[in-house]
Amino acid sequence: MTTTPRAVRRASPRARRTTAPQPDPAAPLLPSRDPVRMLDESGKRIPSEYAEPPGETLRELYRRMVIGRRFDVQATALTKQGRLAVYPSSRGQEACQVAGVMAVRPDDWVFPTYRESMALVSRGIDPVEVLTLLRGDWHCGYDPAALHTAPQCTPLATQTIHAAGVAYGEAYQGRDTVALAFIGDGATSEGDFHEGVNFAAVFRAPVVFFVQNNRYAISVPLSRQTAAPSLAYKGVGYGIACEQVDGNDPVAVLAVLNRAVEHARSGNGPFLVEAHTYRLEPHTNADDASRYRTMDEVEAWLGRDPIARLEAYLRGAGVLDDAAVEAVRAEAEAYAADLRERMNAEPTVDPMSLFDHVYATPTPQLLEQREQVRAELAAESEVES
Amino acid sequence: MTTTPRAVRRASPRARRTTAPQPDPAAPLLPSRDPVRMLDESGKRIPSEYAEPPGETLRELYRRMVIGRRFDVQATALTKQGRLAVYPSSRGQEACQVAGVMAVRPDDWVFPTYRESMALVSRGIDPVEVLTLLRGDWHCGYDPAALHTAPQCTPLATQTIHAAGVAYGEAYQGRDTVALAFIGDGATSEGDFHEGVNFAAVFRAPVVFFVQNNRYAISVPLSRQTAAPSLAYKGVGYGIACEQVDGNDPVAVLAVLNRAVEHARSGNGPFLVEAHTYRLEPHTNADDASRYRTMDEVEAWLGRDPIARLEAYLRGAGVLDDAAVEAVRAEAEAYAADLRERMNAEPTVDPMSLFDHVYATPTPQLLEQREQVRAELAAESEVES
Amino acid sequence: MSAVTTTSVSMAKALNAALRDAMAADERVVVFGEDVGQLGGVFRITDGLLATYGEQRCFDTPLAEAGIVGFAVGMAMSGLRPVVEMQFDAFAYPAFEQITSHVAKLRNRTRGALGVPIVIRVPYAGGIGGVEHHCDSSEAYYAHTPGLKVVTPGCVEDAYSLLREAIDDPDPVVFLEPKKLYFTSAEASLPVTTPGFGRAVVRRPGRDATLIAYGPSVPVALEAAEAARDEGWDLEVIDLRTLVPFDDETVTASVRRTGRCVVVQEAQGFAGMGAEIAARVQERCFHSLHAPVLRVAGLDIPYPPPKLEHLHLPGVDRVLDAVARLQWDDQPDPRWVAA
Amino acid sequence: MSAVTTTSVSMAKALNAALRDAMAADERVVVFGEDVGQLGGVFRITDGLLATYGEQRCFDTPLAEAGIVGFAVGMAMSGLRPVVEMQFDAFAYPAFEQITSHVAKLRNRTRGALGVPIVIRVPYAGGIGGVEHHCDSSEAYYAHTPGLKVVTPGCVEDAYSLLREAIDDPDPVVFLEPKKLYFTSAEASLPVTTPGFGRAVVRRPGRDATLIAYGPSVPVALEAAEAARDEGWDLEVIDLRTLVPFDDETVTASVRRTGRCVVVQEAQGFAGMGAEIAARVQERCFHSLHAPVLRVAGLDIPYPPPKLEHLHLPGVDRVLDAVARLQWDDQPDPRWVAA
Ligand SMILES: Cc1ncc(C[n+]2csc(CCOP(=O)(O)OP(=O)(O)O)c2C)c(N)n1
Ligand SMILES: Cc1ncc(C[n+]2csc(CCOP(=O)(O)OP(=O)(O)O)c2C)c(N)n1
Ligand SMILES: [Mg+2]
Ligand SMILES: [Mg+2]
């Protein structure tokens, strides 16, 4: 722990910048003029400077996207049955959700928002534990420390700073883990986004900031978040690498994220990736999207389905065939059936946990209140029995 | 007031941006590769695409810089005599302080920080009223509404948002006023800077954000605020015009600010200007700058004196001669003498004003407390007499 | 102005009508925030304002609460009267510096030259099964900050009238809307004018003890008072309506008469608004009190998940328990004897 | 560990020693914030830490308080124990969302899986002639937020010992340092261990009434107690030391014995910490009280400019006035009879 951490070493914090002429300092900072694409809308390969992930990986990407979507559809259905309090769907954003977590290692840290339930199950987290928050049982159902996965974050953009802190802290302790912070287009307007990216930049912390630009923040359109050509350009102001990518092109999303993670892991500081995508469902099941967008718009994006695109490509490349597709479909159905069944069981939530984790050791005042609630519950169950 | 305001009209808020190929969208957004200069360090004119302000104006710029510096030196002296609680000097930053307020009209709104006392006196505000805050009499000594000059702002970067709001509000009411927000290099790291610039950008509010990059935030060097080539590059991420300028070149600072103000006033949205400069004094009289910077560094910047540079240029151009220089010097001395004398008089501060302006009409609780304090003071003065 | 008719109106609709009427009455009134435009707000409080008054007077902003509040400060400086919406209680926290260091202080800092006539609307408190960060009771943070007025309606009529008054007020008002009351209705004819800022109202007269409530706890207190009748207690219920300015007169008069007092608040109890009320009441009514002023409040925990919120929220039973502990037999409360 | 010697130590030096010793004892402790490195902090509390422990363990950050606190949260998640400095009280407000929505809640949200052992040091309160935004007493905001521990030393020994304990604590601690006491000194031998969190201390025993104070108001209360002797009152002075957890036991025992109580706080009074104390005391000691619990607090105004701060700050005279109003003649306080 006493070795100078890489991130820290490279920061060279007291180096003074000079005002003397420099060779076009911003040029290498600009993202691609247009979003990176590796597959066209029909699934045909487009040449790109980015390295295509191996067939095995793409096949796995496909598998997780199919399961992820099935999971997502199931979760939305559960809200209608009153089994979930609320669910923010990421249908349409499967390429981003799945490639995001596939680009990182299990010991890397992931910072999801409320939107990333699909990403979390794709990372292998038990879907019931993922839905604990949205079922209303507790604020977080999985073990974030063990899984290196922060609780899903609701206060917008606040998690970007935590990602910078974790990345710095891990490097400080000599580990080569990376932090991946998911964030929405709307949340880039929050001050915390600015501070998080800037902290990572100044301290060269290994963070990938991954903006899923799905064009809306609830009802607020992208034009109310930025006047810049694209959100990726924000990287320029922080002096960090940045890129924009077609968020419905699974191959491109994974390829760009792979490079971003590699960049961060090898000590080059943070990387900002903007994926242009679209959420097909309302913001959550409680939202009425017809108030702010047309069905035509939604239809157009339905035609840019990331799963269909990848499937077409992999079939063409001989990586997928009918049998494999069918097997994945069946697996997804089984996954959903299992989830459905397990979500039918009403979980027992221990009321005493209200008091037990406010502090490591409850204060005397909390013990009093705990005792009061315990007595009330005991009296109630006496009345009942 | 019912006409659609210009800023609002141009925002075209629901316009959707397309992901289709665009011609190099960021290129026109980049600032100059190197800070704009119009005078070299010896005061010789360098060719520039920026328009040189008329001789009359430069002469006035010179005059106000000389008086401004004299004011500043006087204020620092007043701290030593215990006549000011604290004073943050802007010696060395005269070009920025004075050109800043000369670039705007009296009905434009100015948002100064604690550092801008010199700018305020250059705007024609009574120096005693400017120093009210720092003398400890009240939080603001001048009338901000009448003077279209916000109180000096201490909480970093918070004023950038107010500037956006005023600019939008003025445009909404059909006025063509501009808001000029001063801000330091360190304060650009605050979330509020991000939000202020972004609001102005999204609503195309006529604001000029003027960063005086004096290389330090108290002791924290610029390298801890940003990893970008320069702070001006931050404009790119907001899709707004930006520029960097040699902050010790008064002609260039005024020329760039003139363009920025013109840009904003004619409905093109905000403009971000970064001036590279240096504060010669400690952060305030209470600061010990020797802890974080060398005298060599200070010496080097003493050699880049903005006043000497402008004087040399104007003498060469025949706009200034010995007599004129002497007249300005004498005026500055008289100004300082007058200030010194007026600051000797201990002002009377009405204690009841503590209560009178918490709300437009004091609450019953405040009236009680007011009465209590009045009674205490009455009892005291009885004891004394 | 809306036509005067008596119909069943929800609190949400009353608030919407107040905004609508205020915008009609004064062109300087502008409404903005997150999702307040096309969507009409996640609770539809701004529904239809964009359609009626256009993009300039009701619009969506970037997602940035400090930005929204700071933008309002600037607009107020230019002479407008902004009404902004924070989407939920906990999402006003990013604006905390703007609220405490600018909104609350600007008039004072400038000796009255720059008032800040803005209204910060905050849907607050719980009881709606919301997930974390959507149910905070944040009134104490604001009430403790000099320069802010803090208002929270407990009924439909007040929702309308107090919001109109807030918009007309020369000072900044944090207007706290109890989310769980949005869809409660009353027969009301709008526009309606109820007593002004700084006036508490006795919602139910009673002789034996005084329940003091505000916002979301008003219906709880009223229900408790009804239930208490069965147990032989005649309880007075006071709705504070505005926390700042505070109506000492009404409160003190009531407690001096009844001699007993319970304060009901939904927020976590420690250092909450109820503490201020209890402290004031015992200061002013000490010699009339037959028992300590008791508080029924939320637990001192982060707001719980939906499945457990019923354990957190002060309900009728807890209020009645507190009333029972008001030493009717003139014995010290055994609860505190050991503590 | 520092060598054990008794010398005159200022509170500033004691805090510096605590940081130094904590860093020596535990490599996971890192210190960062604005100007804490080369400069050693504007109050020099971090003086020399950079030189001793290097850039990795004591460093300056960008000027962004939410960033500083959020960065600490992330570092704590990775297993470190960050100690951050907010330069002044009002400059912690930009971090309010990080503090309330993350720092305070993370352990609870994750059922104990993710604790947040960070210390947020805040130089606070006034009495130093500081200009606006440099003198806020912000303790109530934190004390009202479940999940935070709130600590404020009133003497040199506590400054050392409580800061060491805060750094070792598994929970987040808002550590409020009374600026005006930074340069007060005491004969002390560091390291020193004083009673732990949740223990108030009787600084001066007395029989007639209890003064409850904390942080900057402790010396005021002690001075008032001395002065009261001349007027024939023997006053007990309690220093709370930690506002959360709160020591009901010590407070209650004292007031039950003395029967009278005055709370002294520097913050504006309304909905402040003193309200909580007064409310608790009358709840628990009602039958022992001969007079209402009174509060002596700052005025309900934004912190005043230097030339007027003496009118705001609760001083000895106001404390004695309050003591005089404790109904020694068993008559109701005329002050409240009209109100
Ligand atoms: C600080 C804060 N303000 C407001 C909200 C309420 N809110 C929740 S989601 C959301 C929209 C976010 O949009 P975006 O960042 O684009 O992400 P998306 O939901 O589209 O994935 C808003 C305003 C919040 N959670 N946090
Ligand atoms: C929100 C906030 N945090 C911290 C401070 C304390 N502070 C006052 S001035 C200053 C340095 C600001 O540096 P910079 O923005 O570069 O402006 P300069 O002082 O160099 O003109 C700091 C940290 C503050 N005033 N506000
Ligand atoms: Mg979005
Ligand atoms: Mg600076």
Side-chain angles (χ1 to χ4, degrees):
Chain A
M1 208 158 96
T2 41
T3 51
T4 306
R6 201 182 40 226
V8 175
R9 234 186 304 127
R10 306 213 184 194
S12 171
R14 300 224 150 236
R16 306 272 188 281
R17 232 163 240 106
T18 128
T19 49
Q22 300 161 348
D24 215 354
L29 292 175
L30 290 171
S32 309
R33 220 191 48 177
D34 300 311
V36 173
R37 267 197 174 186
M38 297 177 71
L39 299 184
D40 72 11
E41 299 205 357
S42 69
K44 268 209 282 304
R45 186 73 166 75
I46 302 169
S48 166
E49 44 145 335
Y50 282 85
E52 178 175 336
E56 242 348 65
T57 305
L58 294 180
R59 195 187 160 115
E60 178 60 13
L61 175 59
Y62 172 79
R63 179 179 155 268
R64 295 202 209 176
M65 284 170 66
V66 172
I67 297 175
R69 175 174 297 176
R70 189 62 192 84
F71 161 82
D72 191 271
V73 169
Q74 183 59 59
T76 296
L78 288 168
T79 63
K80 300 201 172 114
Q81 298 150 22
R83 289 263 156 226
L84 280 183
V86 63
Y87 183 71
S89 163
S90 52
R91 195 160 70 85
Q93 303 179 210
E94 291 86 356
C96 299
Q97 294 278 318
V98 178
V101 295
M102 280 187 66
V104 294
R105 299 192 314 224
D107 64 330
D108 286 333
W109 272 89
V110 170
F111 288 81
T113 78
Y114 51 88
R115 177 87 49 221
E116 268 69 64
S117 296
M118 191 194 294
L120 295 181
V121 302
S122 300
R123 189 166 164 82
I125 303 180
D126 181 333
V128 173
E129 291 185 2
V130 168
L131 294 175
T132 297
L133 167 71
L134 303 165
R135 176 149 71 165
D137 304 339
W138 197 261
H139 310 299
C140 177
Y142 49 89
D143 182 335
L147 297 167
H148 278 204
T149 307
Q152 286 184 271
C153 188
T154 295
L156 298 173
T158 53
Q159 77 281 7
T160 56
I161 314 184
H162 307 160
V166 157
Y168 182 92
E170 294 278 311
Y172 175 86
Q173 291 167 89
R175 300 192 279 263
D176 74 340
T177 45
V178 163
L180 171 73
F182 285 93
I183 181 168
D185 49 311
T188 64
S189 297
E190 295 277 1
D192 278 19
F193 170 76
H194 177 71
E195 301 190 10
V197 177
N198 196 42
F199 265 68
V202 164
F203 294 113
R204 282 181 97 85
V207 189
V208 175
F209 296 99
F210 183 33
V211 181
Q212 285 172 85
N213 173 359
N214 62 10
R215 315 192 72 71
Y216 289 93
I218 309 184
S219 72
V220 184
L222 183 62
S223 59
R224 276 292 154 104
Q225 306 301 342
T226 191
S230 106
L231 296 169
Y233 285 89
K234 292 199 180 289
V236 178
Y238 304 102
I240 65 169
C242 50
E243 187 57 285
Q244 54 178 328
V245 59
D246 179 339
N248 285 25
D249 174 347
V251 178
V253 176
L254 186 54
V256 167
L257 285 175
N258 279 341
R259 183 183 290 183
V261 169
E262 169 52 24
H263 171 99
R265 202 183 308 281
S266 35
N268 299 308
F271 200 117
L272 174 68
V273 176
E274 177 195 24
H276 298 269
T277 184
Y278 195 81
R279 111 174 113 65
L280 293 170
E281 296 286 333
H283 174 69
T284 69
N285 52 298
D287 177 38
D288 175 5
S290 72
R291 283 191 164 237
Y292 56 83
R293 65 185 191 184
T294 62
M295 268 318 289
D296 283 358
E297 187 182 291
V298 179
E299 299 284 343
W301 280 92
L302 273 171
R304 296 176 206 150
D305 182 0
I307 297 185
R309 205 189 288 191
L310 182 58
E311 183 175 325
Y313 176 59
L314 293 181
R315 279 182 186 268
V319 178
L320 269 186
D321 57 16
D322 283 353
V325 167
E326 178 48 32
V328 167
R329 207 199 52 76
E331 189 185 351
E333 282 310 321
Y335 188 94
D338 177 61
L339 173 61
R340 221 162 34 232
E341 188 173 328
R342 290 173 62 208
M343 292 294 286
N344 272 332
E346 193 54 43
T348 51
V349 190
D350 177 12
M352 292 306 124
S353 53
L354 286 177
F355 304 96
D356 293 344
H357 304 295
V358 182
Y359 302 96
T361 313
T363 61
Q365 289 74 28
L366 280 172
L367 290 177
E368 265 177 30
Q369 295 175 21
R370 189 183 201 278
E371 176 49 29
Q372 179 199 327
V373 170
R374 207 202 44 73
E376 287 174 5
L377 291 174
E380 260 173 47
S381 69
E382 220 162 84
V383 171
E384 274 160 26
S385 65
Chain B
M1 208 158 96
T2 42
T3 51
T4 306
R6 201 182 39 221
V8 176
R9 233 184 307 126
R10 306 211 183 193
S12 168
R14 302 225 148 236
R16 306 271 189 280
R17 230 163 241 107
T18 131
T19 49
Q22 299 161 350
D24 214 354
L29 292 174
L30 289 172
S32 309
R33 218 191 48 176
D34 300 311
V36 173
R37 268 198 173 185
M38 296 176 73
L39 299 184
D40 72 11
E41 299 206 356
S42 69
K44 267 209 283 302
R45 185 74 165 75
I46 301 170
S48 165
E49 45 145 338
Y50 283 87
E52 178 175 336
E56 241 351 64
T57 306
L58 294 181
R59 195 187 159 111
E60 178 61 11
L61 175 58
Y62 172 79
R63 178 179 156 268
R64 294 201 210 176
M65 285 169 66
V66 172
I67 296 175
R69 175 174 296 176
R70 188 62 192 85
F71 161 82
D72 190 90
V73 169
Q74 184 59 58
T76 297
L78 287 167
T79 62
K80 301 200 172 116
Q81 297 150 24
R83 288 264 155 225
L84 280 183
V86 62
Y87 183 72
S89 163
S90 52
R91 194 159 72 83
Q93 303 178 211
E94 290 86 356
C96 300
Q97 295 277 319
V98 178
V101 295
M102 280 188 66
V104 294
R105 299 192 315 223
D107 64 330
D108 286 334
W109 273 88
V110 170
F111 288 81
T113 78
Y114 52 88
R115 177 86 51 221
E116 269 69 64
S117 296
M118 192 194 293
L120 295 181
V121 302
S122 300
R123 191 165 161 83
I125 303 180
D126 181 333
V128 173
E129 291 184 3
V130 169
L131 294 176
T132 296
L133 167 70
L134 303 165
R135 175 148 73 165
D137 304 339
W138 198 261
H139 309 299
C140 177
Y142 49 89
D143 182 334
L147 296 168
H148 278 205
T149 307
Q152 286 184 273
C153 188
T154 294
L156 298 173
T158 52
Q159 77 282 7
T160 55
I161 314 184
H162 307 160
V166 158
Y168 182 91
E170 294 277 312
Y172 175 86
Q173 290 167 90
R175 300 192 279 264
D176 74 339
T177 44
V178 163
L180 172 71
F182 285 94
I183 181 169
D185 49 312
T188 64
S189 297
E190 295 278 1
D192 278 19
F193 169 76
H194 178 70
E195 300 188 11
V197 177
N198 197 42
F199 265 69
V202 164
F203 293 113
R204 281 182 98 87
V207 189
V208 175
F209 297 99
F210 183 33
V211 181
Q212 286 173 85
N213 173 0
N214 62 10
R215 314 192 72 71
Y216 289 94
I218 309 185
S219 72
V220 184
L222 182 62
S223 58
R224 277 291 155 101
Q225 306 301 343
T226 191
S230 105
L231 295 169
Y233 284 89
K234 293 198 180 291
V236 178
Y238 304 102
I240 65 169
C242 51
E243 187 56 285
Q244 53 178 329
V245 58
D246 178 341
N248 285 26
D249 174 346
V251 177
V253 175
L254 186 55
V256 168
L257 285 175
N258 278 342
R259 184 182 291 182
V261 169
E262 169 53 24
H263 171 98
R265 200 182 311 280
S266 35
N268 300 308
F271 199 117
L272 173 68
V273 177
E274 177 195 23
H276 298 270
T277 183
Y278 196 80
R279 112 173 110 65
L280 293 170
E281 297 286 333
H283 174 70
T284 70
N285 52 299
D287 178 36
D288 175 5
S290 71
R291 284 192 164 235
Y292 55 83
R293 66 184 192 186
T294 62
M295 269 316 292
D296 283 359
E297 188 182 290
V298 178
E299 298 285 339
W301 280 92
L302 273 170
R304 297 176 206 150
D305 182 1
I307 298 185
R309 205 189 288 192
L310 182 57
E311 184 176 323
Y313 175 59
L314 293 182
R315 279 183 186 267
V319 178
L320 269 188
D321 58 15
D322 283 353
V325 167
E326 179 47 33
V328 168
R329 208 198 51 77
E331 189 184 352
E333 283 308 320
Y335 188 94
D338 177 63
L339 173 60
R340 221 162 33 231
E341 189 174 327
R342 289 173 62 208
M343 291 295 285
N344 272 332
E346 193 56 43
T348 51
V349 190
D350 177 13
M352 292 306 124
S353 52
L354 286 177
F355 304 96
D356 293 343
H357 304 295
V358 181
Y359 301 96
T361 312
T363 62
Q365 289 74 26
L366 280 171
L367 290 177
E368 264 177 32
Q369 294 175 20
R370 189 183 202 279
E371 176 50 26
Q372 179 200 327
V373 171
R374 208 202 44 70
E376 286 174 4
L377 290 175
E380 259 174 47
S381 68
E382 219 163 85
V383 170
E384 273 161 26
S385 63
Chain C
M1 287 278 160
S2 308
V4 182
T5 48
T6 303
T7 41
S8 177
V9 188
S10 69
M11 186 181 279
K13 285 253 183 290
L15 293 166
N16 179 262
L19 290 173
R20 205 175 263 288
D21 293 351
M23 290 175 87
D26 186 346
E27 267 203 316
R28 296 170 304 170
V29 177
V30 286
V31 170
F32 55 94
E34 298 163 5
D35 299 297
V36 300
Q38 203 73 35
L39 189 65
V42 293
F43 293 106
R44 303 293 185 268
I45 308 301
T46 59
D47 195 25
L49 301 182
L50 168 64
T52 310
Y53 297 104
E55 280 273 356
Q56 292 95 273
R57 299 191 60 200
C58 176
F59 57 88
D60 291 333
T61 64
L63 269 55
E65 292 77 10
I68 292 168
V69 172
F71 205 61
V73 169
M75 287 172 77
M77 288 169 80
S78 85
L80 300 177
R81 294 188 160 255
V83 180
V84 300
E85 175 172 306
M86 303 279 99
Q87 198 159 83
F88 285 86
D89 31 69
F91 307 145
Y93 300 155
F96 197 70
E97 181 188 33
Q98 285 287 345
I99 295 174
T100 49
S101 293
H102 287 293
V103 173
K105 291 181 176 164
L106 201 48
R107 174 183 295 280
N108 184 257
R109 293 168 68 210
T110 62
R111 272 189 270 223
L114 275 180
V116 193
I118 75 181
V119 178
I120 303 175
R121 292 183 38 246
V122 187
Y124 87 124
I128 58 159
V131 295
E132 56 172 3
H133 310 296
H134 288 77
C135 298
D136 279 19
S137 286
S138 39
E139 70 272 16
Y141 298 134
Y142 304 117
H144 184 53
T145 305
L148 302 176
K149 293 184 177 169
V150 184
V151 175
T152 179
C155 66
V156 171
E157 292 83 352
D158 274 353
Y160 180 90
S161 183
L162 292 174
L163 183 51
R164 289 297 306 270
E165 184 172 355
I167 295 170
D168 290 342
D169 199 274
D171 287 311
V173 177
V174 176
F175 193 87
L176 298 163
E177 303 171 1
K179 281 189 288 282
K180 75 166 189 195
L181 301 186
Y182 271 148
F183 303 106
T184 57
S185 291
E187 289 299 312
S189 61
L190 303 184
V192 63
T193 303
T194 62
F197 283 8
R199 296 248 143 256
V201 163
V202 176
R203 292 275 172 232
R204 182 191 195 285
R207 266 172 332 207
D208 298 337
T210 304
L211 300 184
I212 302 180
Y214 56 89
S217 66
V218 173
V220 176
L222 286 169
E223 209 186 313
E226 274 313 300
R229 206 190 346 218
D230 301 340
E231 313 208 15
W233 293 309
D234 181 20
L235 303 185
E236 179 144 314
V237 175
I238 293 183
D239 177 356
L240 290 177
R241 308 169 69 253
T242 63
L243 306 182
V244 181
F246 189 88
D247 183 356
D248 278 313
E249 213 175 297
T250 303
V251 166
T252 304
S254 170
V255 179
R256 288 214 180 121
R257 198 159 28 71
T258 62
R260 288 181 169 82
C261 178
V262 173
V263 185
V264 188
Q265 82 176 31
E266 189 177 311
Q268 62 273 18
F270 198 83
M273 184 64 204
E276 177 61 40
I277 301 168
R280 300 183 84 74
V281 166
Q282 62 88 35
E283 277 161 7
R284 286 163 175 74
C285 309
F286 185 75
H287 288 269
S288 314
L289 283 173
H290 304 303
V293 181
L294 296 184
R295 292 177 284 167
V296 178
L299 306 167
D300 288 314
I301 61 174
Y303 198 88
K307 293 255 174 74
L308 297 176
E309 72 177 350
H310 62 286
L311 297 174
H312 174 70
L313 296 171
V316 169
D317 286 347
R318 280 192 198 148
V319 176
L320 293 178
D321 282 352
V323 172
R325 289 193 290 113
L326 289 174
Q327 310 186 12
W328 304 93
D329 52 7
D330 230 354
Q331 288 305 301
D333 188 343
R335 197 183 172 107
W336 303 133
V337 169
Chain D
M1 287 276 159
S2 307
V4 181
T5 48
T6 304
T7 42
S8 177
V9 189
S10 68
M11 185 180 280
K13 285 254 182 289
L15 293 165
N16 179 262
L19 291 173
R20 206 175 264 286
D21 292 351
M23 291 175 88
D26 186 346
E27 267 203 315
R28 295 170 305 170
V29 177
V30 285
V31 170
F32 55 94
E34 298 164 5
D35 299 297
V36 300
Q38 204 72 35
L39 188 65
V42 293
F43 292 106
R44 304 292 186 270
I45 307 301
T46 59
D47 195 25
L49 301 182
L50 168 63
T52 309
Y53 297 104
E55 279 273 357
Q56 293 94 273
R57 298 192 59 201
C58 176
F59 57 88
D60 291 333
T61 64
L63 268 57
E65 291 77 10
I68 292 168
V69 172
F71 205 61
V73 170
M75 287 172 77
M77 289 169 80
S78 84
L80 300 177
R81 294 187 160 256
V83 180
V84 301
E85 176 173 307
M86 304 278 99
Q87 198 158 84
F88 285 85
D89 30 70
F91 307 144
Y93 300 154
F96 198 70
E97 181 187 33
Q98 285 287 345
I99 295 174
T100 49
S101 293
H102 287 293
V103 173
K105 291 181 176 163
L106 202 47
R107 173 184 296 281
N108 183 257
R109 292 169 68 210
T110 62
R111 273 189 270 222
L114 275 180
V116 194
I118 76 180
V119 178
I120 302 176
R121 293 183 37 245
V122 187
Y124 88 124
I128 57 158
V131 296
E132 57 172 1
H133 310 296
H134 288 77
C135 298
D136 279 20
S137 285
S138 39
E139 70 273 15
Y141 298 133
Y142 305 116
H144 184 52
T145 305
L148 302 177
K149 292 184 178 169
V150 184
V151 175
T152 179
C155 66
V156 171
E157 291 83 353
D158 274 353
Y160 181 91
S161 183
L162 292 174
L163 183 51
R164 289 298 305 270
E165 185 172 353
I167 295 170
D168 290 343
D169 199 275
D171 287 311
V173 177
V174 177
F175 194 88
L176 298 162
E177 303 171 0
K179 282 190 286 283
K180 76 166 189 197
L181 301 186
Y182 271 148
F183 303 106
T184 56
S185 291
E187 289 298 311
S189 61
L190 305 182
V192 63
T193 304
T194 63
F197 284 9
R199 296 248 144 254
V201 164
V202 176
R203 291 274 173 233
R204 183 191 194 284
R207 268 172 332 209
D208 297 338
T210 303
L211 301 184
I212 302 180
Y214 57 88
S217 65
V218 173
V220 176
L222 285 169
E223 211 187 313
E226 275 312 301
R229 205 186 352 210
D230 301 340
E231 314 208 13
W233 293 310
D234 181 21
L235 304 184
E236 178 145 314
V237 175
I238 292 182
D239 176 356
L240 290 176
R241 307 169 70 252
T242 63
L243 305 182
V244 181
F246 189 87
D247 183 355
D248 278 314
E249 212 175 296
T250 303
V251 166
T252 303
S254 171
V255 180
R256 289 215 180 119
R257 199 158 27 72
T258 62
R260 290 180 168 85
C261 179
V262 173
V263 184
V264 188
Q265 83 175 31
E266 190 178 310
Q268 62 274 17
F270 198 83
M273 184 63 206
E276 177 60 40
I277 301 168
R280 300 183 86 73
V281 167
Q282 62 88 34
E283 277 161 8
R284 285 161 177 74
C285 309
F286 185 74
H287 288 269
S288 314
L289 282 174
H290 303 303
V293 181
L294 297 184
R295 292 176 285 166
V296 177
L299 306 167
D300 287 315
I301 61 174
Y303 198 88
K307 293 255 174 75
L308 297 175
E309 72 177 348
H310 63 286
L311 296 173
H312 174 70
L313 296 172
V316 169
D317 285 349
R318 280 192 198 148
V319 176
L320 293 177
D321 283 352
V323 172
R325 290 193 288 113
L326 288 174
Q327 311 185 11
W328 304 93
D329 51 6
D330 232 354
Q331 290 304 303
D333 187 343
R335 195 181 174 115
W336 303 133
V337 169

